Each structure stands twice: as C-alpha cells, then as structure tokens.
Amino acid sequence: MGNRFQVKDVRDRFAAGAQYIGGRARAGTSGRTHTVVDPATGEDVLTYELAGTADVDAAVAAARDALPGWAGATPGERSDAMHRFAGRLAERAEEFAQAESLQCGKPIKLTREFDVPGTVDNTAFFAGAARHLQGQSAGEYSGDHTSYVRREPIGVVGSIAPWNYPLQMAAWKVLPAIAAGNTIVLKPAELTPLTSLMFAQAATDAGIPDGVVNIVTGAGREAGEHLVGHPDVAMTSFTGSTAVGRRVAEVATATVKRLHLELGGKAPFVVFDDADPEAAAHGAVAGALINTGQDCTAATRAYVQRPLYDAFVEQVADLMASVRLGDPFREDTDLGPLISHAQRDRVAGFVDRARAYATVVTGGAAPHHDGAFYRPTLITGAPQDSEIVQAEIFGPVLVVLPFDTDDEGIRLANDTPYGLAASAWTRDVYRAGRATREIKAGCVWINDHIPIISEMPHGGYKASGFGKDMSTYSFEEYTQVKHVMYDNTAVARKDWHRTIFGDR
C-alpha cells in the first residue's frame, strides 16, 4: 500500500466521539455503534457511538441558541469568519484529502485535485456571497408607500448528506446556510462521517461561533427522521436517492418547513454524428467512471448516432480496459473501490440481470482484490425500457445505445424519470442550442461532462428533486423574503378605509 493515512491517527482524533455539538466533540447516546470501514482493504477504521434522538435535540438546541448572535452579525463579520474558514481548510488540504480517500476509497488524485480544492473554493465563494445578501431596491410602487425587500435567515437548518462526496456535500449544505445567517445541524452518512466532523472543527478553529455548525452522526430512521421532523428546524436540505427523498418530504411537510431535495440521476450522454469521436469517447469514460461511478451526474446512458456508434463502442471499451484499479493512495491509481461490498454486490446484480437481454462488452466482474472493487463495465444492446437503462446503478457502468435522428436522440435522453444532468456532443451550434433547450435536466454540458464550479447552480428537474446547491441561487434559498412597506402620506383616514367603514 502507498503512503496511507494512519488508522491510529483517526482513532486518536475522534476518541471523544463522532458527534460535534456546540463546538465540542462528544459521543452519541443511542446505545448502538457503527464502524467506518476502509472499502479498499476491508480494514476497520473507527467504531463510534451513533447519535440518538437526544443528541439531535441537543444539536438543534445548540443551533437555536447560536442563531440570534450569528444572524445578528453583520454580513462583513460573517464573511470575515468564512474567509478564515477557507484558509483553515486550505492549510489542512492534504489531511482532508487523505481522510476522504481512507473512508471512501477514492483515488488520492481525485481527492487532492477535485474534492478538497473544490470545497476550499466553495468556502471562499460563499465568504464573498455573505456580503451580498440583498433584496429589491426601494421604490414607491403604490404611490403612497415606499417598499423594499429584505432577505433574512430562515433559522435552524437540518440537512442530510450522502456518502459519495462527504466533504463536498457537507460544504454544499453548510456554506450557503451559514453565509445567509442561519445555523445548521448536518447529519452525514454513517459510512463516511470523518471529513464532515473535520469540516465542523475547522469552522470552530476559524472563529465561527459554537453552535453555528453542528454534526450528528446517526442512523437515518432515528437521527435523520428526528432531525427532519424537529419542530425547531425551519428548513431541510437532503441529498440522496429519490426513494429516501420521498420519505424526507413526507416527514418535512408534516411540520411545514422549507424543503430542498437533490435526488437521483441517470444522466444521458448524447453523441451526434458530427461530434469529435475521440473527445466523446474520452469524455464518456471519464464521465462514467468518476468516483467509481458513484456520482448522481455520472454519464450512465450514452446515445450515439448510428454513423459513430460502432467506433464509439470500440474506443470506449479499449479505454475502459486501460483504467488502473488499485490502492487509492497510489498516485497512479485511476479507479478505487465502491463504498462497500454491499454496494459492489448491488452493482454486480444490475449487470448480471442485464446479461439476459444485453451484451457486456467489457468488465462485468469484480477483480481479485480484498476491497469492494468492480471493473469498468460497458453494456450494449439493452432495450430503452430495461432496468439497466432506466434505474440508477451508482457504479462504474455505462450503457450505449444507437439512435438515428436528432429527434430520436433527444427523446431518448429525456426518457427516464430523472433530470439532474446531461451532455450533448456536437460541433454544430444549432444542434447544441437545441440540446440545451430541449433536454430536461438541471445542467446540460456541451462537449464535456461532469465539471462544476462554485458560481453556477447544481440541481435537477423531475424526480431528481428541486432546489439548487452552490451559486447565489443556492444562497437565496436559505433566506426568507420579507416585504417592508412604509406609509408616506401621514394621513390618518386612508381612502381605502371606506371599503370597510364609512363613506368617501
């Protein structure tokens, strides 16, 4: 193995527990434990006490107590604290990268070049955004009154993040919330709590007040549902599967709170016959295999216009066969394991069932490793309505289907319940424009697939949910809009009063 982050260091760091409440680490009180496992080796990394409902109550209380002070801070004060936060993250970049690779099995080059710098940049972006919390300028819209719009914090936010990008998802939940003056309780996935806890500690070290950022690490049906349904939580933000998102929505709406859902995806990758064949093939492999395919925006369905289809399949198969699996801490490793053996077996089940109606061109098997590895897999010949085309697999699997006309390609791209992300590959500006207009997804890339930036929103259509992460669009979702209206006449008896009593 390479220069691996030491498990002993992890255990020492989190000896006080895997909850972070009111600026302090503590143990959970549910009476049950969970073990973080290195998916590359199967080694136990950290066993910790799960949060129970009492821990959620304590975290929400800490957030509620911190709210007046943080919401009352000036935008400049919040911004300064968040700039210091970004600096702390940058100073500890290597530590975060190694911890993320350890708990997730991500190749170290991915965490060093994508997860961690993206999080630092996102923090710096929202530090700047904190100074631009503005409503509509004042005006006399009724003639007798001056109106203006305030944007105010919502209150305590209760968020739930998934295991595929633990650090980035913690940032996407925490940063817009606290930049707008809210406080937050975040529940990370039980499988991958380490970097979320480190993120919260870095916030405290940067001078963000105790209770502004809290972490509860517990089971979804106990800690998660209690957090979402808590009467003192004013907003819930959830990233995860569409099935769980439906349950989150049920619990949240019972207490009539603001709701933001970023759910599943099944991103189409549409290759028109004038596309650059090499660019499309390389883009498909990179877009399908990033994070071992455990990405809701990953390229999962490639629709290739028939003149390019055979060559595309051949080149993608060759590229997939060249991908290097192995120790995530080796800098030459391209693909790490899936998050767990259970997830690997789930992915393998999709592929094995597809053999009855489709062709596995390459991959379709687990290599001889102790970890939860699965080879990059390319499938052809699947019907459009088949499970492998319609269902979110969340693994290193790409299905390729041909199409003939542009109308057909766009129709097939839209033919799933999801609408999170998509890409179109063409050198024709009119085809590109049509694809961006007609493909129903929250993000449509042209001649690329996967890149995201802090300044632009991320979020879906249809069963992929609603609401945005990143960007000022996300920032605004964590605010309440208030209309303020001043009378300018100083007249005691208004003309409109006669509609209630008296005459003109």
Side-chain angles (χ1 to χ4, degrees), residues 50-337:
L50 288 163
T53 57
D55 303 301
V56 173
D57 289 341
V60 172
R64 186 183 60 229
D65 290 346
L67 181 63
W70 185 246
T74 67
E77 289 168 339
R78 289 198 296 268
S79 177
D80 288 347
M82 293 184 69
H83 276 299
R84 293 194 300 270
F85 187 13
R88 295 294 189 279
L89 296 173
E91 290 166 3
R92 302 171 188 174
E94 179 63 16
E95 184 180 359
F96 273 96
Q98 292 210 23
E100 195 79 331
S101 288
L102 177 64
Q103 67 178 351
C104 299
K106 295 172 183 275
I108 192 69
K109 64 180 180 180
L110 179 64
T111 59
R112 284 175 178 161
E113 298 175 28
F114 184 74
D115 296 71
V116 175
T119 300
V120 174
D121 182 73
N122 216 231
T123 308
F125 172 83
F126 279 108
R131 301 191 79 133
H132 298 280
L133 188 60
Q134 299 170 346
Q136 188 173 344
S137 60
E140 286 70 47
Y141 300 101
S142 80
D144 291 337
H145 305 82
T146 295
S147 288
Y148 69 88
V149 171
R150 291 174 54 88
R151 285 193 174 273
E152 298 180 345
I154 294 172
V156 176
V157 178
S159 293
I160 299 177
W163 47 257
N164 58 332
Y165 289 100
L167 177 60
Q168 286 200 325
M169 295 297 100
W172 288 13
K173 301 301 182 194
V174 169
L175 297 173
I178 67 171
N182 303 285
T183 57
I184 189 167
V185 179
L186 172 72
K187 192 196 90 65
E190 307 95 294
L191 295 171
T192 54
L194 304 184
T195 49
S196 298
L197 292 162
M198 293 165 61
F199 188 74
Q201 179 66 62
T204 298
D205 294 345
I208 292 175
D210 294 349
V212 173
V213 179
N214 306 276
I215 307 292
V216 290
T217 308
R221 289 198 174 275
E222 182 176 4
E225 291 202 7
H226 191 61
L227 176 62
V228 171
H230 200 290
D232 290 334
V233 169
M235 175 179 175
T236 289
S237 176
F238 170 79
T239 297
S241 72
T242 298
V244 177
R246 292 190 186 99
R247 176 58 183 162
V248 169
E250 290 174 3
V251 176
T253 53
T255 50
V256 196
K257 51 174 54 77
R258 181 83 63 91
L259 184 60
H260 169 203
L261 299 174
E262 200 269 271
L263 307 176
K266 190 70 176 176
F269 186 101
V270 183
V271 183
F272 293 99
D273 58 13
D274 67 330
D276 180 330
E278 184 178 10
H282 281 81
V285 173
L289 300 186
I290 186 170
N291 202 35
T292 318
Q294 298 168 127
D295 187 310
C296 49
T297 64
T300 58
R301 301 178 288 137
Y303 297 102
V304 184
Q305 208 150 23
R306 209 169 292 274
L308 298 184
Y309 177 80
D310 290 338
F312 179 88
V313 169
E314 181 178 359
Q315 189 168 7
V316 167
D318 289 344
L319 287 170
M320 281 189 168
S322 72
V323 170
R324 299 164 296 185
L325 282 68
D327 174 14
F329 284 82
R330 287 180 58 94
E331 295 188 7
D332 60 355
T333 292
D334 298 321
L335 198 73

Side-chain angles (χ1 to χ4, degrees), residues 448-466:
D448 208 343
H449 195 106
I450 287 296
I452 54 175
I453 52 175
S454 297
E455 290 82 357
M456 289 291 110
H458 173 85
Y461 287 21
K462 303 190 294 184
S464 292
F466 47 83

Side-chain angles (χ1 to χ4, degrees), residues 39 116 141 182 355 378 427 433-434 460-461 494:
V116 175
Y141 300 101
N182 303 285
R355 296 179 197 276
L378 177 64
R427 286 180 276 203
R434 181 185 180 189
Y461 287 21
K494 305 291 194 296

